[in-house]
Amino acid sequence: MTSISAAGVVVVGGGQAGFSVASTLRASGYDDPVTVLAAEPHAPYQRPPLSKKVHAGPVRVELVPESFYRDRDIGLRLGDGVIAVDPAARTVLTRHGKRVSYEHLVLATGARNRPLPVPGAELPGVHALRSLDDALTIGRALTAARDVVVIGGGFIGLELARVALAGGARVTVVELAGRLLSRAVSAELEPSLRQRHEHAGVRILTGTAVRALEGEGRVERVVTEHGVLPADLVVYGIGAVPRDELARQAGLAVRDGVLVDEQLRSVTDPRVSAVGDCARHPHPRAAGPVRLESVQNAVDQGALVARRIAGAAAPYESLPWFWSDQGDVKLQIAGLRTSGDEVRVAPGDTAERLAAYAFRDDLLVAVETLNWPAEHLAARRTLQRGTPVSAADLSGTTLGALARAGRTAEVRR
Ligand SMILES: Cc1cc2nc3c(=O)[nH]c(=O)nc-3n(C[C@H](O)[C@H](O)[C@H](O)COP(=O)(O)OP(=O)(O)OC[C@H]3O[C@@H](n4cnc5c(N)ncnc54)[C@H](O)[C@@H]3O)c2cc1C
């Protein structure tokens, strides 16, 4: 076993959140060692582009050029994931047998795809998308596929459905729940979103369980409770689970994600922080600790932890926001909606634009928009400022119009 005496900050995971920690540490003047231990062989890259077009050949998705790490003295070690943490000794052990010591440890291990629990899920021609390597495999398969079945009507499934459709395939989305995006988007906005995908040519089967995938040597059909679908390519996206096993092994509190406080420190060990998809944190806009899977969350949480370590502590209270590009549909969400909120859908000034405003106790808490980036930006500004907006304030108008009239620029009234 080799020992590398890194100390300083050791980040486990070279994704969006891990990159944010390392780059913000240096931008904040931290000059002790910064080491990123990454399981993947690629330097930190963006995942969103992977599901928004076909990637059959080389693709540039890296966040920054390699010189960025050299110039800032960030130790980036690729292709050697961490397999154990020893909080008492303050060391981690990598798969290749390297022991690395830390002053602060940041877990930024992300999430993995929920496996598809049906017979035949391991057949060739069945894929899930998380990494750059997955995207290249799916991209190559898409160039030849005629009948594509997407299992799961979530963000990644719908994005991939539209990518496959644009490539000329027949596309069916099979969703177990009674509607698309049942956890992420309001029931009020969903019919319009569904109609746009169906209008474009995607066949959508909701309330439909997949029983098995079948084929001789590779997938040829999807057996659902309502019938059999021909398929030469199956892509599934049925949710993700946090990669919190290292924290669990280290004896840190875990509950579907590493449990952290408002400064993103493990509630068990303040020398360990967790950020991004793997962290469950108390958010002032949520009733209980939440785990969010978004670029905004990964970037902002990574930056907050880095600033705290560099000496500028602050609680985490960034406004959650998200986007998903599904063919000609741009879905954007600002704020956090919960199931009890009252939602009002309002048409935009053109036929493509639509907004759903969610109110709790008659105060705006979240806004979902279709093809309306200006209203999304107005929502982010309004919600971030904490300007109270009631359903009556928004009657017959938009957040953009209120802002232009100076009505959402006021401080809390
Ligand atoms: C296909 C796809 C499309 C998406 N599109 C959008 C979008 O449009 N908008 C949006 O806001 N969000 C989108 N997301 C979500 C967003 O990409 C994630 O929320 C974000 O990447 C989370 O950052 P992270 O650093 O927490 O995790 P990741 O970016 O997943 O990085 C975690 C890294 O840690 C590594 N790792 C895990 N365990 C270990 C270990 N033991 N040792 C070392 N390394 C380890 C993993 O290999 C991985 O590289 C998308 C995600 C996917 C997969």
Side-chain angles (χ1 to χ4, degrees), residues 118-134:
V118 299
E122 69 298 331
L123 279 171
V126 181
H127 303 278
L129 173 55
R130 173 114 334 233
S131 67
L132 176 54
D133 295 341
D134 296 335

Side-chain angles (χ1 to χ4, degrees), residues 105-125:
L105 180 69
V106 185
L107 299 175
T109 46
R112 60 164 59 82
N113 292 320
R114 194 180 292 283
L116 185 64
V118 299
E122 69 298 331
L123 279 171

